């Protein structure tokens, strides 16, 4: 059974990105919101974002509210933030596979990769 998961790591502070709002969109045929979730104390969502029949072949976007997370830490960052909402677009070629899309984020940069 295929599934989509994520994990957020705050690379500036060396800890999980806890309490970050995550929104998943399907992009085929327009931009359609599928779900909203929030990362837990470990920077993960408690359930897969999508799994089984809900994960189909196609294009997706995950939007992470990283700016809200950094604002809540009270870091005194300049506004507008350099990194605010982070939108990651990716394709699912094999809906029976596990797609893990982690976010490594700081107030000044972000990156991702296909994890396991």
């Amino acid at each position: 059974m295929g599934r989509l998961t994520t994990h957020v790591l705050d690379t500036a502070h060396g800890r999980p990105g806890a309490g970050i709002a995550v929104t998943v969109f399907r992009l085929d045929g327009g931009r359609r919101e599928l779900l909203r979730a929030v990362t837990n104390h470990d920077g993960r969502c408690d359930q897969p974002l999508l799994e089984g029949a809900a994960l189909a072949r196609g294009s997706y976007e995950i939007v992470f509210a990283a700016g809200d997370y950094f604002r809540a830490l009270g870091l005194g960052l300049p506004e507008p933030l350099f990194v605010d909402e982070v939108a990651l677009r990716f394709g699912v070629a094999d809906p029976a596979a596990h797609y893990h899309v982690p976010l490594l984020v700081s107030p000044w940069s972000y990156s991702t990769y296909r994890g396991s």
Side-chain angles (χ1 to χ4, degrees):
M1 176 169 62
R3 63 190 168 141
L4 171 64
T5 58
T6 193
H7 186 195
V8 181
L9 297 171
D10 174 348
T11 58
H13 299 97
R15 62 184 178 211
I20 296 178
V22 176
T23 308
V24 179
F25 297 90
R26 174 82 188 222
L27 299 178
D28 299 319
R31 187 173 185 255
R32 181 172 47 100
E33 183 178 318
L34 299 179
L35 69 92
R36 292 176 182 250
V38 176
T39 59
N40 62 23
H41 70 281
D42 194 35
R44 301 175 187 272
C45 295
D46 291 330
Q47 303 293 321
L49 299 173
L50 299 172
E51 64 183 328
L55 181 64
R57 181 182 180 98
S59 298
Y60 293 86
E61 179 180 64
I62 302 176
V63 178
F64 299 87
D68 291 344
Y69 166 78
F70 288 119
R71 283 183 190 96
L73 292 179
L75 302 175
L77 297 169
E79 289 285 347
L81 296 177
F82 184 74
V83 172
D84 197 348
E85 285 193 340
V86 176
L88 301 178
R89 290 189 170 188
F90 59 96
V92 170
D94 179 5
H98 179 194
Y99 285 80
H100 184 64
V101 183
L103 176 67
L104 305 154
V105 67
S106 82
W108 312 110
S109 67
Y110 65 89
S111 65
T112 191
Y113 57 92
R114 181 170 175 193
S116 58

